[in-house]
Amino acid sequence: MWRYVLRRLLQAVPVFFGTTFLIYGLVFALPGDPIQALAGEKPLPPSVVNALHERYNLDDPLLIQYGKYLVGLVQGDLGETFDGQDVSAVLSGRWAVTAQLAATAWLFELAVGIALGVWAGLRRGRLADTLVLGGTTLVIAVPVFVLGYTAQIVLGLHWQIFPTAGTDDGWPMSYLLPGIVLGSLGLSYVARLTRTSLAENLRSDYVRTAHAKGLTRVRVIGKHTLRNSLIPVITFLGVDFGTLMGGAIVTEGIFNLPGIGQQVFQSIQLKEGPVVVGATTLLVLIFLLVNLIVDLLYGVLDPRIRHE
């Protein structure tokens, strides 16, 4: 087990460096001078521009800039913004919001998506199966901003079931509606994956053997069939958690949640490259960690899988 974990961590090293270098290069390759953007339309004296360029290594080659960034990153320093603020301080107050939003959406996908998938998979070809397939297709086809504004107007303003914006009501109330909106697309895929995998496994030889041994239907489905059927679902859920953390920009904007997504969007507009790079670097680390956990869960779901 530990040898496998070490091997996966070593495999994650080139992925981390390659991803962060690509992000760093793309961010700092954006047109325009970020130092001049601080002053807006008012021109800055050349001496000030040169001093700030030197302070933030903007005149160095890209590889040198990236190397200096990695040196600071190893020491736990994400750098500072072009107006002198520490990037860690800028992001620290927003991580909790995005983490709670992503966790709410992920739990919604996990619970409701698997339940709908099992319901449809056990009734393949019947009305329940048709309803799940039709409903998930509709959700996939609707853009997230349309779904978000519709849910906000209907469930928030008209029916007043959920708060419409902000985090004043705390978790979970302030995060339920945006979490449902953010997790709706992933829920559709989870339901479809569970439904297809369960329906296929129900026709397997080991299921017929279990029934022939006299095991109850609940035991056959719950202990044997469902565990094997959840392997592709867990794979998707692991990947999707990182996607939820990084893909909350639209949802946070609709529901006015002061999270990482909103901060990254604002930083892109202001050409604050250090904030964008710092946030995405942390998201990459979360993504790699979650995928390692998913790989370890395979052995729990399927005893035939051994990490040796």
Side-chain angles (χ1 to χ4, degrees):
M1 172 69 77
W2 292 111
R3 190 177 301 174
Y4 174 80
V5 173
L6 179 60
R7 187 168 67 249
R8 285 305 309 271
L9 290 175
L10 291 176
Q11 292 172 351
V13 171
V15 175
F16 172 78
F17 284 121
T19 306
T20 53
F21 177 73
L22 180 61
I23 294 170
Y24 193 94
L26 290 174
V27 169
F28 284 96
L30 293 174
D33 187 350
I35 301 301
Q36 185 60 53
L38 292 174
E41 298 181 358
K42 183 179 179 180
L44 289 173
S47 59
V48 174
V49 174
N50 293 333
L52 291 176
H53 273 233
E54 182 177 359
R55 175 178 177 180
Y56 295 106
N57 309 309
L58 296 178
D59 293 330
D60 292 337
L62 180 61
L63 286 175
I64 301 298
Q65 293 185 48
Y66 179 68
K68 292 180 178 179
Y69 172 73
L70 288 180
V71 171
L73 185 63
V74 170
Q75 299 172 353
D77 181 15
L78 292 175
E80 63 178 27
T81 64
F82 294 130
D83 58 0
Q85 298 183 67
D86 189 72
V87 173
S88 300
V90 172
L91 298 177
S92 61
R94 295 177 175 265
W95 273 109
V97 174
T98 299
Q100 291 178 89
L101 174 60
T104 304
W106 192 82
L107 291 173
F108 175 65
E109 291 181 12
L110 176 68
V112 181
I114 292 178
L116 289 176
V118 171
W119 188 47
L122 294 177
R123 295 164 177 81
R124 187 170 183 176
R126 302 179 188 175
L127 178 61
D129 188 24
T130 304
L131 289 175
V132 171
L133 289 177
T136 53
T137 301
L138 178 63
V139 172
I140 293 172
V142 177
V144 65
F145 66 89
V146 175
L147 187 64
Y149 283 121
T150 302
Q152 191 178 48
I153 292 172
V154 175
L155 300 178
L157 293 177
H158 290 340
W159 294 355
Q160 297 183 355
I161 300 176
F162 303 104
T164 56
T167 59
D168 293 340
D169 294 304
W171 192 88
M173 285 305 299
S174 295
Y175 295 89
L176 282 177
L177 187 56
I180 291 172
V181 172
L182 181 61
S184 58
L185 180 62
L187 177 144
S188 301
Y189 291 122
V190 169
R192 284 172 166 266
L193 280 172
T194 306
R195 176 253 182 198
T196 302
S197 184
L198 181 63
E200 291 178 354
N201 283 320
L202 285 173
R203 298 196 298 267
S204 300
D205 292 337
Y206 73 88
V207 174
R208 287 192 289 269
T209 302
H211 284 299
K213 288 182 177 180
L215 298 180
T216 63
R217 180 175 173 83
V218 174
R219 184 176 176 83
V220 171
I221 294 173
K223 184 176 180 180
H224 301 286
T225 314
L226 186 58
R227 284 180 62 180
N228 289 335
S229 301
L230 287 180
I231 291 178
V233 178
I234 293 299
T235 302
F236 174 82
L237 286 170
V239 174
D240 196 49
F241 186 79
T243 304
L244 293 173
M245 289 287 292
I249 295 177
V250 175
T251 307
E252 289 180 358
I254 293 173
F255 294 95
N256 193 28
L257 300 177
I260 292 295
Q262 189 183 83
Q263 179 63 57
V264 169
F265 180 72
Q266 294 173 354
S267 299
I268 292 174
Q269 290 182 312
L270 298 173
K271 301 185 185 301
E272 282 286 2
V275 177
V276 179
V277 173
T280 51
T281 297
L282 294 176
L283 290 174
V284 168
L285 289 173
I286 293 173
F287 186 85
L288 294 174
L289 176 61
V290 170
N291 275 273
L292 174 61
I293 295 174
V294 168
D295 286 345
L296 296 177
L297 283 176
Y298 288 159
V300 177
L301 293 172
D302 191 345
R304 296 171 297 179
I305 300 175
R306 289 292 180 267
H307 300 301
E308 298 294 345

